[in-house]
Amino acid sequence: MLDVVNLTHTYGSGPDAHRALGGIDLNVPEGQLVCVVGPSGCGKSTLLRSIAGLVRPTGGEVRVKGRPVTATPDDLAVVFQDYSRSLFPWMSVRDNVALPLRRRGLDRAARRTAAAEALAAVGLEIAAAKYPWQLSGGMQQRVAIARALAYRPSLLLMDEPFGSVDAQTREDLEDLVLAVRGHHRMTIVLITHDIDESVYVGDRVVVLTKAPAVVAADLRVDLPGPRDQIGTRELPAFVHLRSEVSRLVRGRPEFSMTPPHMMTPSHINKE
């Protein structure tokens, strides 16, 4: 589904230039949910925006379904962290969700039907006629997720989508993403700064180094499903992997002995 090959990006030029990405290699098969974590300011959002075609990288290549990304692909959707700025306040919830479907060429009736189905999937069917400013932050983010679902993308990118909500709402939204992924078998790349979240929702956790970022480790998450906010987080395998990811993010990649069924580092950059 997604191939990122030696991706580099530098902001500015001359002595003030900032090299954000130092050569990222990443492969995401269809149907997988990959979480990307790393130190603050390491270039996680730059990576996501490069994948989305919103930033033209300095070097390297991004391919979605084998096709080079030179602009935003038609079968890709992005859910941003700042949900309040991604929704139009003068449009109803239903119309916000249906808006991107015009790009699909659907008529008004088909757009409304698709929007209603997407809102039902995130538990917001009763809020269809309301406006975003009438909803809580968590509900607004559900609307943003519903808009992405209605579009039925092959690849869904999420840029720290739960960073601005309270802890309880965050857990609810994490479970929502898992439910959506399970139902639609959607390929998802989720950028997060929350290590626990990355282990809880991900099939893999990709850890980036400090800028200029490269892949420090690509870890398989082998936890039983369905996952549960309490039971899963109490598992020894969850606690162990969370600790390993935390060490890597903090630049201390000393791995303890780990049974293969718990965690498999498929790539570690030794630089």
Side-chain angles (χ1 to χ4, degrees):
M1 176 60 70
L2 172 66
D3 287 293
V4 178
V5 182
N6 194 29
L7 196 71
T8 63
H9 189 69
T10 300
Y11 291 101
S13 59
D16 296 327
H18 172 66
R19 192 168 179 233
L21 304 180
I24 301 289
D25 291 294
L26 178 65
N27 174 273
V28 181
E30 185 174 0
Q32 197 168 72
L33 197 164
V34 175
C35 291
V36 180
V37 300
S40 179
C42 73
K44 298 186 294 293
S45 292
T46 299
L47 171 62
L48 181 136
R49 290 171 182 267
S50 297
I51 294 172
L54 300 174
V55 169
R56 185 179 294 275
T58 306
E61 186 178 42
V62 176
R63 295 191 297 267
V64 174
K65 290 185 174 180
R67 297 188 295 270
V69 173
T70 56
T72 302
D74 285 336
D75 54 355
L76 179 147
V78 183
V79 175
F80 295 100
Q81 177 180 359
D82 195 347
Y83 48 79
S84 63
R85 295 180 61 184
S86 68
L87 301 174
F88 295 107
W90 61 87
M91 298 175 65
S92 69
V93 164
R94 180 191 298 110
D95 289 343
N96 265 285
V97 173
L99 180 63
L101 299 178
R102 296 179 182 178
R103 187 180 179 92
R104 295 287 198 198
L106 301 181
D107 60 30
R108 180 175 176 82
R111 294 198 302 268
R112 290 174 69 91
T113 298
E117 291 174 351
L119 286 169
V122 301
L124 283 180
E125 57 268 46
I126 63 173
K130 294 182 179 294
Y131 293 90
W133 49 268
Q134 294 178 300
L135 306 179
S136 67
M139 293 174 74
Q140 289 182 46
Q141 191 62 300
R142 285 176 181 262
V143 174
I145 294 172
R147 181 172 57 191
L149 293 181
Y151 193 67
R152 296 294 178 89
S154 298
L155 176 61
L156 175 61
L157 306 179
M158 310 186 82
D159 190 4
E160 299 197 15
F162 316 136
S164 301
V165 298
D166 61 82
Q168 179 63 59
T169 301
R170 186 182 195 115
E171 291 182 354
D172 292 342
L173 291 172
E174 290 168 354
D175 288 335
L176 172 62
V177 168
L178 288 175
V180 164
R181 180 284 187 95
H183 181 72
H184 296 284
R185 298 305 302 170
M186 192 176 293
T187 307
I188 301 175
V189 176
L190 188 152
I191 304 293
T192 179
H193 64 268
D194 190 295
I195 292 171
D196 283 34
E197 179 174 273
S198 70
V199 176
Y200 180 73
V201 304
D203 297 314
R204 287 159 58 198
V205 179
V206 174
V207 185
L208 302 184
T209 65
K210 295 179 179 179
V214 297
V215 174
D218 187 339
L219 312 178
R220 188 186 71 201
V221 180
D222 191 11
L223 297 173
R227 297 181 188 178
D228 171 80
Q229 289 288 349
I230 297 176
T232 297
R233 293 172 186 266
E234 290 177 339
L235 293 173
F238 177 92
V239 175
H240 185 92
L241 183 52
R242 179 190 62 192
S243 298
E244 299 294 355
V245 175
S246 181
R247 290 189 186 98
L248 287 160
V249 170
R250 287 162 174 75
R252 297 187 299 174
E254 59 273 13
F255 282 86
S256 59
M257 295 300 293
T258 306
H261 73 278
M262 289 188 181
M263 182 188 69
T264 301
S266 61
H267 173 74
I268 301 177
N269 189 306
K270 298 295 186 179
E271 295 180 353

